[in-house]
Each structure stands twice: as structure tokens, then as C-alpha cells.
């Protein structure tokens, strides 16, 4: 009997220890991916603090049958049955009220494989409206838990280093009779956004920009661009760029970029310790200025801040090397210009770190 008790106690201790390691590992994994010191994910909203911020308040009303439809899609996402989810994720009618003005809109769930876009009963949506709401006809409503402080960090970094970055605004959203929940009102990095910066981009299925990677080679991308009826001039630009990337031609890669902009981008990337989730093929967004025929990387909320790690700097989350980033990081002219930016802006870089701290302190107060 004593032996059984001892063995039972040892088993219990082992189970508790394993659970502790699992929680610890899970936390480390989240930290390394999101680079996020803000532990908002396991708390409840601090309604008193949120109310004190006077965020814009949106009301989203769904018909009962459409709410049931989205609940079904959430179950498919949980099962990771993305094929069925994509087939069923069609536009539904809804209304959005802002400042007492009701607008009839169409909505669907956001994302083709929307991992981490659900929290309790809340989920992220894409919206299209016949008239502008909060300045936009097309926008996303993204649950706060999916982004956390990343959006504010990215916008601050873009402003500080004069880089093009996605626009996100923290809001309160009530869906039917649910409690208010904090969301991001997000501007998609699509045609309207790009046109304001005199840029274009071609999304080819799961490929965010037509740039070669381990999954997409030169021939595949060129064939896809032909189907998009892209002009010969633009198709030739991408063909030459992708051929150069596949050949590992780091000496000339700067010719495809605005040297000043790409150097500031490299400085931002190293200083913020991006974890490179934002540069996987489905997230990498390098838009084209067709007047200059130069590429401009765009910062967005999937560029998670983390700790700079030289070994992983040009690799994605699975450990695969991102070819274009490796070439940019080893190009002599880009390296020289990046170092000059760093030497010329020590105060600005210190201010970025201080701004990040203030952003994180604000986000810590959103949950309790």
C-alpha cells in the first residue's frame, strides 16, 4: 500500500511538472512569435479604463440565421477544416451603426485560414459598404486578441522611420446584444490604400506579392502574372527580379529598390527584431512604384516585434530562409546605407524604444 502511495505521489508530481513545462513552453512560443510582453490574452477587459479612452463605438447587427452561419464557420475553423470554411464563407447582409447612422453592409469572416481570429464568441470580419464608414468603404474588424499592441507598434515605427505602414484604429464593437468588445478597425492594404501611395501589387492566390520563394518559382509566378493580364513591362520586371533572387544575386538586388527606403526598412526590421511571420509568402507585401520601377516593402500588423536574432533574421517561423531578405541583408550598398541611417539617427532610435514602452503600458491597462 505504501509503495502504491509513493508511486501515485510521484505520478502526480510528474503530471504537475509536465503541465508546468507545457504552459511555460506555450508562453515562450507566444513570446517568441509575437515578441509581446503584454499579457492581455488571459485577462478580462478593463471596461472602466476602456470607457475613459472614448473610443469610437460601432454596433454590428446580424440576422439570427446569419449569426448561426458564422457560428458554424467558427466551428470549422476550430476543426481546421479550412477547405469547407472557404467554400461556405460568403458575403452576408448586416447593418453597422456609427454615430447613430445605420448603414447596410455586407460582411464575411476575415481570412482564408484565420488562425487566432476567434476569441470566446468574438471573431474577425471583412466588411464592404456602399458608402464610407469611418472614412472607408472596405475595411476589416479584427478582434483585439489577434493583434494586441502590434498594430500601434508598427504604426509608430513606420511614422518614426518614414515607412509605409498599415492603418489600424482601436474601437469598441457591439454585435447584436453582446457586450462591447475592443476591436481594431483596420484598413486593408489593397488597391485603395496602395493607390494613395502610387503603388500597385498583385496578389496571386496565397501569394501576397509576386516574389519567388521556396514554394513559388519564377516560372509559376510568371505564368500567374500572364493570367492577370499584367503589362509586359511589369511582367518583365518581376521575371528579372525573381530570376535574380533564384540565382542568389545579392550584388545587384538593390537595383530593384529605392535605396534610401529599403535601408530604412532594413533598419526597422533589425531594430524591431521582426520575427518574420510578416514575410512568409502569404504575408510578404512588397508593392511596386511603376513610375520608378522600384519595390517598397509595406509594414503591417503581422510584422510582430520580437528580439533581434542574427541566426533567425532572414528565416520564417518554420526555419526556412526567405531568399529576398537574405539578399537584401548582404547587399553591400544596402548595408552601407543602413549603417549611415543608424549612425545619423541615434536619438530617433532611442525615442522609438521609449514609444514602444509607452504603447505597451497603455495596452497593459486595457485588460486586468
Amino acid at each position: 500500500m505504501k509503495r502504491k502511495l509513493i508511486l501515485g505521489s510521484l505520478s502526480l508530481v510528474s503530471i504537475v511538472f509536465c503541465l508546468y513545462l507545457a504552459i511555460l513552453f506555450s508562453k515562450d512560443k507566444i513570446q517568441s512569435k509575437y515578441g509581446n510582453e503584454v499579457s492581455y490574452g488571459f485577462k478580462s477587459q478593463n471596461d472602466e479604463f476602456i470607457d475613459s479612452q472614448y473610443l469610437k463605438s460601432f454596433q454590428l447587427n446580424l440576422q439570427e440565421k446569419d449569426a448561426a452561419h458564422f457560428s458554424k464557420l467558427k466551428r470549422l475553423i476550430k476543426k481546421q477544416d479550412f477547405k469547407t470554411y472557404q467554400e461556405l464563407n460568403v458575403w452576408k447582409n448586416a447593418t453597422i451603426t456609427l454615430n447613430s447612422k445605420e448603414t447596410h453592409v455586407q460582411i464575411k469572416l476575415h481570412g482564408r485560414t484565420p488562425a487566432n481570429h476567434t476569441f470566446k464568441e468574438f471573431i474577425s470580419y471583412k466588411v464592404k459598404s456602399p458608402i464610407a464608414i469611418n472614412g472607408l468603404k472596405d475595411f476589416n474588424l479584427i478582434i483585439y486578441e489577434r493583434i494586441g499592441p502590434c498594430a500601434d507598434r508598427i504604426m509608430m515605427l513606420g511614422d518614426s522611420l518614414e515607412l509605409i505602414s498599415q492603418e489600424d484604429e482601436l474601437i469598441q464593437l457591439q454585435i447584436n446584444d453582446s457586450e462591447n468588445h475592443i476591436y481594431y478597425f483596420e484598413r486593408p492594404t489593397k488597391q485603395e490604400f496602395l493607390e494613395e501611395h502610387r503603388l500597385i501589387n498583385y496578389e496571386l492566390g496565397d501569394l501576397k506579392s509576386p516574389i519567388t520563394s521556396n514554394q513559388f518559382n519564377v516560372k509559376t509566378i510568371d505564368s500567374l502574372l500572364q493570367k492577370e493580364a499584367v503589362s509586359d513591362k511589369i511582367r518583365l520586371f518581376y521575371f528579372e527580379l525573381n530570376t535574380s533572387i533564384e540565382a542568389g544575386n545579392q550584388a545587384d538586388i538593390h537595383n530593384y529598390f529605392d535605396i534610401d527606403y529599403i535601408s530604412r526598412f532594413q533598419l526597422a526590421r533589425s531594430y524591431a527584431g521582426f520575427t518574420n511571420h510578416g514575410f512568409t509568402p502569404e504575408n510578404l507585401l512588397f508593392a511596386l512604384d511603376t513610375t520608378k520601377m522600384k519595390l517598397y516593402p509595406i509594414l503591417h500588423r503581422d510584422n510582430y516585434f520580437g528580439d533581434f536574432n542574427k541566426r533567425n533574421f532572414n528565416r520564417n517561423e518554420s526555419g526556412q530562409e526567405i531568399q529576398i531578405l537574405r539578399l537584401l541583408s548582404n547587399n553591400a550598398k544596402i548595408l552601407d546605407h543602413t549603417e549611415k541611417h543608424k549612425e545619423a539617427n541615434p536619438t530617433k532610435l532611442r525615442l522609438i524604444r521609449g514609444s514602444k514602452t509607452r504603447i505597451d503600458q497603455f495596452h497593459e491597462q486595457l485588460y486586468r
Side-chain angles (χ1 to χ4, degrees), residues 45 50 54-59 96 98 134 139-142 144 168-174 180-186:
Q45 284 190 175
I50 292 170
Y54 299 101
L55 304 176
K56 289 177 184 175
S57 184
F58 292 70
Q59 170 80 40
I96 287 183
L98 175 64
N134 199 33
F139 54 91
N140 302 324
L141 296 170
I142 308 294
Y144 176 81
D168 292 88
E169 179 184 358
L170 199 63
I171 64 166
Q172 287 205 77
L173 178 68
Q174 182 182 29
N180 279 337
H181 192 73
I182 46 176
Y183 269 70
Y184 276 105
F185 180 93
E186 179 176 85

Side-chain angles (χ1 to χ4, degrees), residues 328-343:
L328 293 173
S329 297
N330 290 292
N331 177 273
K333 288 194 175 183
I334 295 174
L335 280 168
D336 181 57
H337 277 75
T338 303
E339 191 59 32
K340 286 178 180 176
H341 275 299
K342 187 175 181 180
E343 291 173 356

Side-chain angles (χ1 to χ4, degrees), residues 188-201:
T189 50
K190 303 289 185 180
Q191 183 177 349
E192 185 183 6
F193 174 88
L194 295 170
E195 284 178 352
E196 286 190 12
H197 296 281
R198 299 180 181 178
L199 300 172
I200 63 167
N201 182 54

Side-chain angles (χ1 to χ4, degrees), residues 208-225:
K208 188 74 170 178
S209 293
I211 295 175
T212 187
S213 65
N214 293 326
Q215 292 92 344
F216 298 88
N217 60 27
V218 175
K219 283 187 176 181
T220 300
I221 293 174
D222 190 53
S223 175
L224 291 169
L225 284 174

Side-chain angles (χ1 to χ4, degrees), residues 218 239-250 252-253 256 327:
V218 175
F239 183 82
E240 291 178 346
L241 166 69
N242 289 325
T243 300
S244 188
I245 293 171
E246 286 198 357
N249 188 358
Q250 70 186 39
D252 298 325
I253 195 69
Y256 298 95
L327 299 180

